[in-house]
DNA sequence: AAAGATTGAGTTATCAATCTTC
DNA sequence: GAAGATTGATAACTCAATCTTT
């Protein structure tokens, strides 16, 4: 990962957009690009802290989902819905977690087609320790004040809803 | 990519964070996770529009950088700095772009170690057409009003600066 | 020795096709 | 036939090691 630049490359791109007669799309371009770069930064920081646990953010998210589930287990398909990733990725992630002893595959009690992923005792321990580290070293020092964090969340929430990420039909499902 | 949920999974996670006594990290967690999800959504939309051109967002960004450069060419290392990706990724992307006839490798005039990537005439045409499509179909309809887009950009700009993505030392490099 | 770029190994994500169960 | 999950093939990214030029 290279060193810092002496200017903001995204602000520079926005200037170029305006100079080329695309002013009406410049704000959208800058917003999209900013989100891309911010994700890159966050992912690097998070994965860096998770590396000692042998986890990636994708696998960590899966573990948290199981940890917070009522029975400590969920059908693979439901996990894919929540995390918005393809079934294949879930299969892969679960394979890795099983190898690591953090998750176990359990047949669904009534539906023979579906498989449940169940978090193990070790999985619970690791997830809690990893969460403590992430909270301490990343989530508490994101680089914005509390009020700004909330505004950021609200803006992106609106954006995600507009994109059809979730509907506002009340709880359930 | 699965269908929409009937609730916001990130708001749900934030509730869980607070319920588990991690309230001081909940806002940061929600912000980070929101950025991750927003990036996922944007990348899918952008890559979808770029697919007919045989491009990915990574390669498109590289082409735009060359298109806007003074001579239409840049050293590979400088491209890596601007795009914040590893040298290997640049080599890979340039290889693909050369195969596609959109970029050409040129030896640096004075420094025998460095290679320049130079955009071809075809590369310019493709980049401009792809940009027109992205502007029309993605950047103009991000899902937020102009004022909100600007706030989002400003928040993320602050965040990127805090993260050391760039310094405020005036222009130049 | 250091900068710049490339190669090869390992990891992860994605897509189409397959298999089992409903 | 459709849902749920897995397999095999492909593409992209990352890391360590290598090679050339300075």
């Amino acid at each position: 990962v290279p060193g810092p630049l002496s200017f903001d490359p995204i602000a520079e791109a926005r200037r170029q957009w305006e100079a080329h007669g695309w002013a009406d799309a410049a704000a959208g371009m800058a917003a999209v690009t900013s989100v891309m770069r911010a994700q890159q930064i966050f992912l690097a920081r998070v994965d860096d802290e998770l590396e000692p646990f042998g986890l990636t953010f994708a696998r960590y998210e899966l573990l948290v989902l199981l940890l917070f589930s009522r029975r400590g287990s969920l059908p693979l398909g439901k996990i894919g819905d929540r995390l918005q990733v393809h079934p294949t990725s879930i299969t892969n992630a679960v394979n890795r977690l099983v190898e690591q002893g953090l998750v176990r595959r359990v047949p669904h009690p009534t539906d023979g087609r579906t498989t449940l992923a169940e978090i193990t005792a070790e999985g619970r321990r690791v997830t809690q320790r990893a969460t403590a580290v992430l909270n301490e070293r990343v989530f508490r020092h994101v680089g914005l004040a509390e009020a700004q964090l909330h505004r950021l969340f609200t803006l992106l929430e609106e954006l995600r809803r507009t994109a059809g990420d979730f509907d506002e039909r009340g709880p359930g499902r």
Side-chain angles (χ1 to χ4, degrees), chain A:
Chain A
V1 183
L5 268 44
S6 62
F7 62 99
D8 181 358
I10 299 181
E12 171 64 18
R14 196 179 46 177
R15 256 174 258 126
Q16 296 277 11
W17 240 248
E18 284 158 3
H20 282 75
W22 306 321
D24 60 340
M29 182 282 296
V32 169
T33 309
S34 297
V35 167
M36 303 278 197
R37 209 69 83 203
Q39 186 264 359
Q40 203 177 2
I41 292 167
F42 284 149
L43 187 62
R45 288 177 60 182
V46 167
D47 275 350
D48 196 53
E49 299 295 343
L50 289 178
E51 196 263 351
F53 297 99
L55 293 176
T56 62
F57 184 63
R59 291 204 290 275
Y60 170 77
E61 269 195 305
L62 203 160
L63 285 173
V64 169
L65 197 58
L66 295 180
L67 184 67
F68 287 163
S69 66
R70 254 188 278 348
R71 313 182 196 296
S73 67
L74 285 172
L76 300 198
K78 192 150 290 195
I79 296 174
D81 288 349
R82 282 291 294 258
L83 268 36
Q84 297 281 75
V85 296
H86 286 76
T88 312
S89 302
I90 303 294
T91 298
N92 275 333
V94 169
N95 282 345
R96 288 296 312 262
L97 290 169
V98 169
E99 287 173 23
Q100 297 176 286
L102 307 180
V103 154
R104 179 187 307 127
R105 269 197 177 78
V106 178
H108 191 285
T110 69
D111 190 337
R113 295 172 299 179
T114 86
T115 306
L116 303 179
E118 182 179 69
I119 191 168
T120 64
E122 172 71 3
R124 288 181 191 273
R125 278 193 293 272
V126 169
T127 307
Q128 274 154 354
R129 285 197 296 132
T131 299
V133 168
L134 285 184
N135 282 339
E136 178 63 40
R137 302 237 265 267
V138 182
F139 297 147
R140 268 191 214 143
H141 312 99
V142 169
L144 292 177
E146 188 87 4
Q148 290 178 307
L149 280 185
H150 189 260
R151 275 181 24 187
L152 178 58
F153 170 75
T154 304
L155 284 168
L156 292 176
E157 180 185 44
E158 163 90 15
L159 202 151
R160 290 182 294 115
R161 185 173 46 242
T162 304
D165 206 20
F166 58 94
D167 275 345
E168 210 76 305
R169 288 193 304 257
R173 168 44 195 282

